[in-house]
Amino acid sequence: MILMNDFKAEPAELRAAMLAAVGRVLESGWYVLGSQGTAFEQRWAGLCGTAHGVGVGNGMDAIEIALRAIGIGPGDEVITTPMTAFATVLAILRAGATPVLADIETDTALLSPASVRRCLSKRTKALLLVHLYGQVRAMPAWLALCHEADLALVEDCAQAHGAALGGKAAGSFGRAGAFSFYPTKNLGTAGDGGMLVTNDSSLAARSARLRNYGQNERYHHTEIGLNSRLDEVHAAMLLARLPWLEGFTQRRRAVAEAYRQGLAHPAVTLLKPPQEAAAHVHHLFVVSCERRDALHEHLRKQGVQALIHYPVPIHHQAPCRSMQRDPQGLAASEHHAARCLSLPCHPQLSDEQVQHVIASVNGFDG
């Protein structure tokens, strides 16, 4: 079976480096908020082109803490997309704010600016922009919209590690960028982890307090925080994996380009190509098909694991059915959710496996 992710196929050298990194942490006797976390915060913030990084427990917490640090909470509205992982919207709710769902554009599956404008109200305080599937697009237009509407821009970069547009990295455009280091991410650890990055020193300082019970110094709590810290073991593993990220990203791009050149089934539609090569890190390679479920089963029989990201849009989730949304509806999101399918696009795929995926899609009797 060609897997969506194949951690066991990763290089032995990388596995050895991760084990050695964990060993150094165990030998140090310091497991939380230590030198490994600080080093990774500095390295990742630097790669994102930001001045500060605050390591947290996971990507959802990174969004919540960023919103709270900006000052967004009860009574405030945050516009985002229904075509995302549930954690995006859950973070808004946990911050005490009200999510408002705007529709997507059919050719990219990213937020529609026209729909976002229809969602604006006097209570709108932020735009949570999701760089879905690893693609960064139209950032000058988004920055202009946020400036015009006086919105704080927060980037959900959970799938966009290393993506950049016009030489500027994902996470550095807005007030803050939120990353997840869940195992399947382009840069992932062997468990949960996250970070928010920012150029705002006061936002970074408040985020560091919020992640650590609201402490400004030990046992002195200036506000209500939470326990969300990137531990030393995961930080050390991420530092060990970091030198491999660029090569892995280039392999993802090569796989994606092979798909773009080779997939030719008339019933299978591809998303719009990236604006520039650096703007897409291909966390996922997503196609669309009217007979998605049949294609999914066909691929399984051909030994190809495909997954659906995401089959149920946020406003169809049980707790969210009455959630505020674009007054014209979310038809594009519903259409995409019913037809999208993710093909394997991880860096361990061999050329032979890539060609097998292509042949399997093209051989679909649909």
Side-chain angles (χ1 to χ4, degrees), residues 276-345:
E276 55 189 68
H280 206 323
V281 293
H282 299 284
H283 173 66
L284 296 170
F285 190 93
V286 177
V287 301
S288 182
C289 181
E290 291 284 345
R291 298 188 63 232
R292 186 264 311 281
D293 293 344
L295 174 59
H296 195 185
E297 177 61 16
H298 165 76
L299 291 175
R300 186 190 67 79
K301 291 179 178 178
Q302 296 298 312
V304 176
Q305 182 187 46
L307 296 177
I308 303 170
H309 300 89
Y310 298 92
V312 183
I314 297 298
H315 61 295
H316 286 176
Q317 301 286 353
C320 306
R321 288 173 182 154
S322 61
M323 193 166 279
Q324 294 183 48
R325 64 197 68 176
D326 184 338
Q328 294 187 15
L330 302 169
S333 298
E334 293 165 1
H335 184 276
H336 183 74
R339 293 161 178 80
C340 60
L341 187 67
S342 302
L343 304 179
C345 194

Side-chain angles (χ1 to χ4, degrees), residues 231-242:
D231 65 60
E232 290 290 279
V233 166
H234 287 119
M237 286 193 285
L238 287 162
L239 282 168
R241 294 187 68 87
L242 200 50

Side-chain angles (χ1 to χ4, degrees), residues 111-122:
L111 268 175
S112 159
S115 181
V116 168
R117 289 182 181 279
R118 290 193 294 268
C119 292
L120 291 171
S121 78
K122 292 181 180 179

Side-chain angles (χ1 to χ4, degrees), residues 172-186:
S172 68
F173 291 92
R175 290 286 304 279
F179 288 89
S180 167
F181 302 115
Y182 185 76
T184 60
K185 304 304 184 185
N186 289 33

Side-chain angles (χ1 to χ4, degrees), residues 5-254:
N5 295 285
D6 193 353
F7 302 120
K8 290 183 178 181
E10 289 184 336
E13 183 183 351
L14 172 55
R15 184 176 295 269
M18 292 173 66
L19 288 170
V22 172
R24 288 193 294 271
V25 171
L26 296 178
E27 288 296 321
S28 76
W30 192 296
Y31 302 148
V32 179
L33 294 181
S35 62
Q36 295 298 297
T38 299
F40 182 61
E41 287 173 340
Q42 293 172 348
R43 289 284 304 281
W44 188 247
L47 288 172
C48 292
T50 59
H52 309 281
V54 180
V56 297
N58 54 70
M60 182 177 73
D61 287 357
I63 298 172
E64 177 191 348
I65 290 170
L67 291 172
R68 289 179 60 183
I70 289 169
I72 291 168
D76 298 330
E77 293 177 356
V78 179
I79 298 174
T80 195
T81 173
M83 186 47 55
T84 184
F86 194 72
T88 302
V89 168
L90 186 54
I92 299 171
L93 293 168
R94 287 186 9 152
T98 300
V100 180
L101 303 175
D103 210 1
I104 63 171
E105 296 185 323
T106 56
D107 58 351
T108 65
L110 299 180
L111 268 175
S112 159
S115 181
V116 168
R117 289 182 181 279
R118 290 193 294 268
C119 292
L120 291 171
S121 78
K122 292 181 180 179
R123 297 173 59 192
T124 310
K125 299 300 181 184
L127 173 66
L128 180 51
L129 189 65
V130 179
H131 299 312
L132 192 68
Y133 305 148
Q135 53 185 333
V136 179
R137 296 181 186 269
M139 292 311 300
W142 284 119
L143 290 169
L145 189 157
C146 289
H147 178 75
E148 174 190 337
D150 193 23
L151 304 180
L153 175 62
V154 177
E155 300 170 68
D156 181 342
C157 307
Q159 300 182 359
H161 304 71
L165 184 64
K168 194 171 174 63
S172 68
F173 291 92
R175 290 286 304 279
F179 288 89
S180 167
F181 302 115
Y182 185 76
T184 60
K185 304 304 184 185
N186 289 33
L187 180 65
T189 185
D192 278 314
M195 188 181 296
L196 67 90
V197 297
T198 183
N199 282 311
D200 185 330
S201 58
S202 61
L203 192 157
R206 188 177 184 199
S207 297
R209 289 196 304 271
L210 287 169
R211 71 170 175 186
N212 193 29
Y213 310 120
Q215 295 182 103
N216 62 337
E217 59 180 293
R218 195 171 187 184
Y219 304 130
H220 293 266
H221 303 262
T222 57
E223 58 185 314
I224 300 298
L226 61 158
N227 178 8
S228 181
R229 302 169 299 206
L230 179 65
D231 65 60
E232 290 290 279
V233 166
H234 287 119
M237 286 193 285
L238 287 162
L239 282 168
R241 294 187 68 87
L242 200 50
W244 296 78
L245 178 60
E246 179 59 28
F248 282 177
T249 300
Q250 292 304 325
R251 180 56 184 166
R252 287 178 183 271
R253 288 178 176 142

